[in-house]
Structure formats: structure tokens, C-alpha cells
Amino acid sequence: MDAGIRDEWIRRMDDAVAEVFRSMLECDCAAVEESPGPGPGILASITFSGTMEAHCVVEFPSSTAKILTSAFLASDETDWDDAMIGDAVGELCNMIAGGWKRRLGPPAQASDLSIPCISRVPAGSRDRGTKKPDGMLVRRAYAFDAAPFVVCLSMD
Amino acid sequence: MRILIVDDSVVMRKIVEGALRHAGLELTEAQHAANGAEGLAALEDAAARGELFDLILCDVHMPVLDGLGFLREKSQRNLGPGTPVVMITADSSDPHLLQAIDAGAQGYIAKPFTLEQVQTRVASLLSSAAGNASSHHSLPPTSPAAHTLGGR
């Protein structure tokens, strides 16, 4: 990937992620050096189709996903069921993908976003992101309230 | 005030309901539907009771029946005529959003949103829909203490 394009992707990704946390939760969320450990987790993925073929995947350790769910619902509860946690992670993925798409401008803006697809991953097998030979891939770790997660954007 | 929230995400339905309550709306009923088909069923049930919702908030992309399908069916079946519909979307450049506006939605709220944005948009929408300054739809000034959705 051209370094300039990669930097631009990262900047837009950072902005999209920060916007979601600032608007919905009024908290900071910034890129961090260290990715989450290899524990069990939950993934949400959204596919861009049409004028742009791309994927947005967010990867949450189980503990971070519970924190996110509590934050979205403004609750002290920590014992969420899987469906609720998947919903929260899917919503976050949806908003990050939408924000990133909006920042790309045309013609990418005319592409369609899929409904979030949620999957669970056992310890040690978290998706590392894949790209086609001519594709582009950006994988970046973030943290809010010291809770880490990863966002992966790839374009075919 | 009676509202219907149509969204496949339980989390987003709860967030939206909480945002409206903290925006100052006195909700006597907040009914939730997980897709457009459930939303239509809720409208039919309300009609059978001789009731109307005051506001419908509807996601754009949902399984079973999406927001556009919901709007078209609602119109064809004359369910909840006059009830304003505001779309909720994470993709404000979505072509489906324009189609939804063409199909009868009065506006949209883009995710992510702040409490002030929800308050402003809903107040504007209700004011336009009612065409008057009916007091039960008016919203109080924004409370500085209630700015965050997470701080509900």
C-alpha cells in the first residue's frame, strides 16, 4: 500500500473511531501500541459492496465487549448475555464503518454497507485480517477506559 | 407521548429510548420492534385499539423487512397516517436513506449522535409534523448534565 494512502486511511479511521466514543459515550478513544491479548473474543464485520469492495472488522476481547455494552446502556450491569454483547459490538462496527465511509467521499460513498455479522472466537484464534494480493489492509488497536480492541479495514 | 422504535439492535433501541426520555419527552409508551414486519404489526395492533403513535423511529437496514419496505407497506396499508417517521442510520450517504425520505420519512438521525442532536432533530420534526406549538410535544432546554448518552 502506498504510504500516503495508508496514512490517510489511518487518519480517517482514527477520526471515525474517536467520533463514535465522543458522541455516544463522551469518552476518549485513541490508538494504542499494544493489541489485546489472545483471549476469547467477539468479532463484528461489515462488508462494503458496489462502488467499493471492502470490509470493516472490529475485534473485542470478551472483557472489553462487556465494558462496551455497559457503557452503551449506561448500566453497572456486567453479566450481559451473548446477544446483547453482540448487539453492542455490531453497533460499534456499524458506526465506525459508516463514519469511515463518509470520510472517504465519492465514489466510495455510493457503496452499500451490510448488516453487521457477529461471530465468536476462542482464545488464540482471533482474526488477524486478510487481504488480496493487490488489496489494502490497515489493522489498528484502540483503547477506551483502558479497555483495548482492534479495528481492521481491508479493501479488495 | 407514544413512540415506536423499529431497529434490529436491542442496544440501539434502548439507547434511542433513553435519549428521547432524557431529551425531555414524556413517553407514556415506548414500543420496540425488531424489524419492519414487527413494526407494521405494532401499527396494526395500535390501529385496532383506535390508537396512533406520535412518532416512529426506524432503522434503515434490518433483516426480514428493512426501513424502506416498512415505509412503503405502512403507506400502502394506510397504517399510522400522519405519524412522523424519522430514520436512524450510521451511513448518512446511504442511497437507501434518500429513498426512505422519498417514501415518506420526515427526516433522519445520523449515528453516532449526541443527546443534543437527538433533541434538536426530534423537536424540529414534531414541530413540523404538528404544525403548531402543542405543549405536550415541546421539549425543555437542553440540560448540561445530560449531554452524553452513556451518562443517561
Side-chain angles (χ1 to χ4, degrees), chain A residues 64-86:
Chain A
T64 308
K66 289 178 181 176
I67 294 171
L68 177 76
T69 307
S70 298
F72 268 154
L73 296 173
S75 170
D76 295 330
E77 175 70 55
T78 56
D79 190 24
W80 301 107
D81 63 30
D82 285 355
M84 195 68 94
I85 293 172

Side-chain angles (χ1 to χ4, degrees), chain B:
Chain B
M1 179 175 194
R2 306 177 71 245
I3 64 165
L4 172 63
I5 304 171
V6 187
D7 197 310
D8 57 318
S9 165
V10 179
V11 168
M12 189 49 62
R13 295 200 301 265
K14 288 177 178 286
I15 289 173
V16 169
E17 181 183 341
L20 292 177
R21 289 188 187 279
H22 282 263
L25 290 179
E26 290 186 18
L27 304 184
T28 55
E29 181 180 352
Q31 194 161 338
H32 292 195
N35 56 61
E38 287 189 12
L40 293 170
L43 292 177
E44 283 181 331
D45 288 346
R49 299 193 302 267
E51 297 172 346
L52 284 174
F53 288 100
D54 297 297
L55 176 67
I56 299 170
L57 297 110
C58 184
D59 191 11
V60 176
H61 293 287
M62 294 177 286
V64 185
L65 183 65
D66 64 12
L68 185 58
F70 169 77
L71 282 165
R72 287 174 173 162
E73 279 289 312
K74 175 183 172 297
S75 176
Q76 284 177 2
R77 291 154 63 175
N78 199 33
L79 293 169
T83 301
V85 180
V86 59
M87 308 306 291
I88 302 171
T89 181
D91 181 9
S92 55
S93 56
D94 185 354
H96 295 101
L97 186 57
L98 291 177
Q99 291 178 293
I101 301 297
D102 286 344
Q106 274 69 36
Y108 71 91
I109 294 172
K111 297 182 287 188
F113 47 71
T114 64
L115 191 62
E116 290 94 337
Q117 288 165 344
V118 174
Q119 178 175 346
T120 301
R121 185 56 62 97
V122 171
S124 170
L125 182 70
L126 291 174
S127 176
S128 298
N132 59 42
S134 175
S135 60
H136 77 286
H137 282 172
S138 65
L139 297 171
T142 303
S143 163
H147 283 186
T148 67
L149 298 171
R152 291 185 304 276

